[in-house]
Amino acid sequence: MKKLIYKLVIAASILGGTTSCDSLDLSPEDFYGSGNYWKNEAHANSYLIGLHKQFRDNAGMFIHLGEKRGGTMMSSTSIYGTVLHDSDLILNNIDKDRTHVANFQNLYSTSILQLNHYIDQVSKASYLSEEKKNALLAPAYGMRAMYYFTLFRTFGGVPIITEPKVLNEKIDIKNFYIPRASSEETMAFIKSDINKSEEMYGTDAIRQTYNKANWSKAATLMLKAEIYLWAAKVKLSDFEPKGESDLHVAKSALEGIMGKFSLEDKFADVHSTKNKENKEIIFAVRYADGEAGNSFQSYFVAYNLFLDVVYDKDGKLIKTDPFNLKGGSGPLFRQYKKELWASYDPEDTRRDATFYEAYKAQELGFENLGIIMCKFTGSINTTGNHVWDNDLVIYRYADALLMMAEVENGLGNSPADYINQVRKRAYGDNYAKHAYKGGDYAENELEILHERDKEFVAEGKRWFDLVRMRDANKESLAFSPKANYSDKKEPVLSLTEEKHKLLWPIDKNTLTLNSALNQTPGY
């Protein structure tokens, strides 16, 4: 096990995390065994690069766990007749036999294990100064907090594992039988980790200019704000929200971000592959030509469906590929609802920068409309080939502004200024007539949610937003018809019959392998 862990992490770090696992064959089997590693600062730096590479490998969790269930995506069949993926999950048809996630997204057996090992080894490294230890440990605690926070938002209380016992001790099967902590205990642990990360960054300045693919103090502050915002609002059977006290902590974290970044002038430029290090990006998972490609994006667009088959918004038959994919896509596996597209005002520049209108027939109309996401269509590389190289942005400044709007609303203050900073970019010269004036708590909360819906399509936030945000009765907006995009005016979940579905079930195989686990309540 030790040899495997070292070889995997070092392979990830070779050439900055860009090589494949073939590099495992380049060294003698024991070269990176525990006796030959953790000898100098270069080893610790290389391991941290490998941890970032593994974070990229896990990036699909944000889409799978944070986007698909949110009520914005179509199920079953697209308007063009293609079979869409994950229809049961999109329809929230989940139960103990259809969990749609296995083995806690495999986060324990790989990423958390390696982070625990890294934290253990760096903490006791005699060859590192305290200052250097803090610099190396700060991003590790931040990433571990992110993994556990993702698990918390998905399952509630989960097993808390902080020591790499499988590496440091003789293997005992009892080490694998770890029960779920309560939601209260899990959240307390997450808060502890993110606070350690912030403390270890110390007085480091928040800077716009740095490699946005590396975890940073700014990423830690964004995650801290999100953790405390969630803890302030979300009630579970074994977790009581902390309300105003945690909202103030979230606000303080966001104040560390305010003014340190800024919005791009045009929404279309935020995700441009030629603009990856732009002033709005805080932390992103990096994809690049010659490295890993962002494969999930190819599921949103199609090539052969369009040519000489469907019509554009002017009623003209499409004869050339509007996305310049050069044939580099497959069938349309994912499609967003027309109702989401219709919620945009035509003067909102985000609409056409996010969706492309295509009609089944020359007679244009809502029934013939099918929207294709054009927000992440990659680029053409130097050899003239199409590549899927859009980054998956985890945090950007628009998110900070809208989280601050949510915090202010929770504290009884007007969120209008923060909403309008985002809206002003969206509407440009037409902003004045679209400025938000403010309302009561429930009205503001819905307004913030819908602003986030338009801003963060396919960025892995919609389901988490829906669960976290509240109506006038402090119930999740997952139970609000006003928060859903449905022609039937139904909520995403039924309050009376599906409240347990705010959390996900644990798959049977994981329950069988770990006899100390209990199933999520309601399943």
Side-chain angles (χ1 to χ4, degrees):
M1 178 66 79
K2 277 188 180 181
K3 294 174 185 176
L4 177 61
I5 293 298
Y6 281 103
K7 289 197 291 182
L8 286 174
V9 175
I10 299 308
S13 70
I14 293 172
L15 299 182
T18 64
T19 62
S20 73
C21 286
D22 292 339
S23 60
L24 297 181
D25 299 328
L26 298 180
S27 300
E29 183 175 351
D30 290 329
F31 184 77
Y32 285 123
S34 57
N36 296 308
Y37 206 76
W38 300 115
K39 299 297 185 183
N40 54 55
E41 184 177 325
H43 287 166
N45 288 330
S46 294
Y47 210 100
L48 184 58
I49 293 171
L51 294 174
H52 277 86
K53 185 268 181 186
Q54 193 159 63
F55 193 93
R56 181 178 67 185
D57 292 345
N58 291 321
M61 69 183 182
F62 295 106
I63 304 300
H64 187 68
L65 303 177
E67 184 83 12
K68 296 175 185 176
R69 294 183 62 192
T72 55
M73 298 178 72
M74 290 177 61
S75 61
S76 301
T77 306
S78 78
I79 193 173
Y80 308 112
T82 56
V83 176
L84 298 172
H85 285 191
D86 298 314
S87 287
D88 267 348
L89 183 59
I90 288 167
L91 293 170
N92 281 288
N93 292 330
I94 61 173
D95 52 43
K96 62 184 178 64
D97 298 310
R98 294 175 293 180
T99 61
H100 304 283
V101 63
N103 193 27
F104 294 107
Q105 196 70 15
N106 295 317
L107 292 180
Y108 286 108
S109 57
T110 54
S111 305
I112 290 174
L113 171 63
Q114 292 182 17
L115 275 163
N116 288 344
H117 183 51
Y118 176 84
I119 290 170
D120 176 59
Q121 291 294 326
V122 172
S123 296
K124 62 188 182 185
S126 59
Y127 52 84
L128 295 173
S129 67
E130 286 303 307
E131 182 180 10
K132 187 60 181 179
K133 281 184 184 180
N134 287 343
L136 289 167
L137 288 170
Y141 277 110
M143 283 188 276
R144 192 170 73 174
M146 174 64 88
Y147 287 138
Y148 272 103
F149 182 50
T150 302
L151 290 171
F152 175 86
R153 291 184 292 180
T154 304
F155 299 103
V158 294
I160 298 174
I161 303 171
T162 60
E163 298 179 9
K165 290 184 177 181
V166 70
L167 297 177
N168 293 344
E169 301 175 7
K170 182 178 179 180
I171 290 180
D172 185 335
I173 194 66
K174 291 184 293 185
N175 288 337
F176 297 96
Y177 294 161
I178 301 173
R180 298 172 74 161
S182 69
S183 296
E184 287 278 1
E185 292 167 334
T186 304
M187 176 53 74
F189 170 72
I190 294 167
K191 286 179 175 179
S192 174
D193 258 14
I194 199 62
N195 286 330
K196 285 178 184 175
S197 177
E198 183 183 13
E199 289 165 9
M200 288 175 174
Y201 276 117
T203 58
D204 283 5
I206 301 294
R207 296 172 289 114
Q208 277 193 27
T209 54
Y210 61 94
N211 186 337
K212 307 295 180 73
N214 288 338
W215 195 277
S216 65
K217 185 177 181 179
T220 284
L221 290 178
M222 288 293 289
L223 177 57
K224 181 174 181 176
E226 194 172 17
I227 289 168
Y228 277 84
L229 185 58
W230 193 278
K233 301 174 72 172
V234 177
K235 178 179 174 62
L236 300 174
S237 60
D238 57 347
F239 182 82
E240 284 293 327
K242 304 303 182 288
E244 187 170 323
S245 61
D246 275 4
L247 286 175
H248 280 295
V249 177
K251 182 174 181 177
S252 178
L254 290 169
E255 285 172 343
I257 298 293
M258 293 295 115
K260 307 296 195 307
F261 299 84
S262 55
L263 297 175
E264 280 291 294
D265 296 335
K266 295 181 180 179
F267 179 78
D269 292 340
V270 174
H271 299 283
S272 169
T273 60
K274 296 179 175 61
N275 197 32
K276 287 176 181 267
E277 297 290 316
N278 69 68
K279 60 188 179 181
E280 183 166 342
I281 305 302
I282 296 173
F283 176 57
V285 173
R286 179 60 43 81
Y287 297 96
D289 185 26
E291 299 184 19
N294 196 337
S295 59
F296 86 89
Q297 296 167 351
S298 64
Y299 294 161
F300 289 102
V301 294
Y303 174 76
N304 295 328
L305 286 178
F306 285 84
L307 306 187
D308 295 312
V309 176
V310 296
Y311 297 80
D312 65 18
K313 62 183 179 181
D314 297 318
K316 296 179 180 178
L317 190 65
I318 298 175
K319 291 184 171 295
T320 58
D321 177 12
F323 310 120
N324 198 23
L325 301 178
K326 295 185 177 293
S329 72
L332 182 67
F333 290 141
R334 307 200 195 288
Q335 189 174 6
Y336 281 88
K337 292 179 177 179
K338 293 184 287 187
E339 288 80 8
L340 174 61
W341 176 86
S343 72
Y344 288 82
D345 188 280
E347 292 182 339
D348 188 336
T349 61
R350 293 173 297 192
R351 188 188 74 172
D352 292 345
T354 304
F355 296 115
Y356 180 87
E357 298 171 55
Y359 296 83
K360 290 192 297 183
Q362 193 166 11
E363 296 77 23
L364 307 184
F366 197 66
E367 291 304 313
N368 286 325
L369 169 67
I371 55 170
I372 304 299
M373 197 181 71
C374 58
K375 188 176 180 180
F376 306 119
T377 51
S379 65
I380 304 300
N381 66 11
T382 55
T383 62
N385 295 315
H386 177 270
V387 290
W388 298 99
D389 60 344
N390 289 100
D391 290 350
L392 176 61
V393 177
I394 307 300
Y395 291 122
R396 55 187 176 91
Y397 192 56
D399 200 2
L401 292 170
L402 292 176
M403 277 202 285
M404 185 65 96
E406 196 175 336
V407 168
E408 292 289 19
N409 190 43
L411 293 173
N413 304 321
S414 173
D417 176 61
Y418 295 104
I419 295 173
N420 286 331
Q421 287 184 58
V422 176
R423 195 168 287 188
K424 188 172 184 179
R425 191 258 301 275
Y427 287 97
D429 293 340
N430 297 309
Y431 157 71
K433 58 184 175 181
H434 297 286
Y436 183 58
K437 306 300 182 184
D440 61 26
Y441 174 85
E443 291 169 337
N444 289 339
E445 197 84 344
L446 270 171
E447 197 74 18
I448 297 166
L449 175 67
H450 290 318
E451 202 67 34
R452 292 180 66 87
D453 293 344
K454 296 176 177 66
E455 187 75 21
F456 300 120
V457 173
E459 294 186 44
K461 298 183 184 293
R462 164 65 182 182
W463 168 251
F464 292 143
D465 289 345
L466 201 62
V467 173
R468 181 187 69 251
M469 300 181 77
R470 307 282 104 179
D471 64 13
N473 298 315
K474 304 301 181 184
E475 293 286 358
S476 166
L477 289 182
F479 307 121
S480 170
K482 294 179 181 179
N484 194 16
Y485 296 93
S486 169
D487 55 1
K488 297 179 181 179
K489 308 301 180 185
E490 296 174 342
V492 170
L493 295 178
S494 165
L495 178 61
T496 56
E497 298 177 3
E498 297 181 300
K499 195 166 187 178
H500 63 286
K501 290 186 179 180
L502 290 178
L503 298 178
W504 298 48
I506 298 175
D507 62 290
K508 289 182 177 179
N509 187 57
T510 300
L511 291 171
T512 300
L513 290 173
N514 183 356
S515 59
L517 285 176
N518 58 293
Q519 181 60 279
T520 305
Y523 295 99

